[in-house]
Amino acid sequence: MNTTALLHALRDELQEAGLRGSFLVRDLDTGEELGLDPDLDFSSASLVKVPLALATLERIRTGEIDGARTLLVQPGRDLDSGSTGMSKFRHPARIAVEDLLYLSTCLSDGVAAGALFGLTPPAQVTAFLRGIGLRGITVRSDTRDLNETPADKLDRDEIHLAHSLAIGGGTAGRGHRIPQLDTTRASSGSAQAFTDLLQELWRPRNIDGQVAARVRELMRHNVLRHRLAPDFSSDASTWSSKTGTVLNLRHEIGVVEHADGQSFAVAALTESLVPAVHQPGAEALMARVARALRDHLRARRP
């Protein structure tokens, strides 16, 4: 199948499944890339924890923050949801900054990320990104508001109503009645922007090599592997990634490194038009679309 036909077929498949998305796959060595609406901005949800980790580790490297310093973190309040980490804690805990990085990045722990944002606020993370030449990702708020959506105020059997509001509350300019989905108020970025971040992490030019290596290590140990990982993990490849989810948004960014030396950055940012919390078919389709783009690029490489 030629490139035009492939992209057309993938768009049709996404539309039939009720998904809109921003996809991009890039060969990290040749720079060749292939995508669907890669410049479309989305609220980044927990993807923001990757630039947070990068900015925090840079401050540890320069001595502004002691990675061994412990912070007293209050327990979370989210005991009934599907969240992970300290949101399930029932008692305060003292945790080192570097261990908070693990919890925030690998477990997508929002409480840990909130503690790290207390050290490096959103505006400072954005300024760091601009300083290394990454302009497409903007960090506007910490992660605490991700657990304060309309869904968190409804009973479990009513959560579909929040998803209906999420689907119908947007504007043509990517604004939204729900602040967490409004790309002018929430942290935001596109597949293009997050692919540029992955490029810098895997082929660093403007950041310290050891800092980049530590972020790669954290992403390699991501425990949330239900979305793109099934299509990119194998005995002959390594998949390092970060997911992001809020209401009807499902995202994942990552890099697949093959045993033959080829490496591809993958960014898949999507919004569902189906008012349902659990959509395993959407997760599988995201992976299938991203895999098809990667396979097509890999087949074209000499």
Side-chain angles (χ1 to χ4, degrees), residues 24-61:
L24 189 66
V25 177
R26 179 186 298 167
D27 186 321
L28 289 176
D29 293 312
T30 69
E32 188 175 10
E33 58 186 30
L34 188 62
L36 295 166
D37 299 318
D39 295 317
L40 186 63
D41 273 341
F42 282 87
S43 168
S44 55
S46 287
L47 297 184
V48 75
K49 293 167 185 171
V50 176
L52 170 63
L54 177 57
T56 303
L57 285 164
E58 173 61 19
R59 296 188 68 201
I60 291 172
R61 183 189 72 83

Side-chain angles (χ1 to χ4, degrees), residues 178-191:
I178 299 175
Q180 293 89 343
L181 303 181
D182 188 332
T183 60
T184 67
R185 290 185 286 173
S187 299
S188 64
S190 64

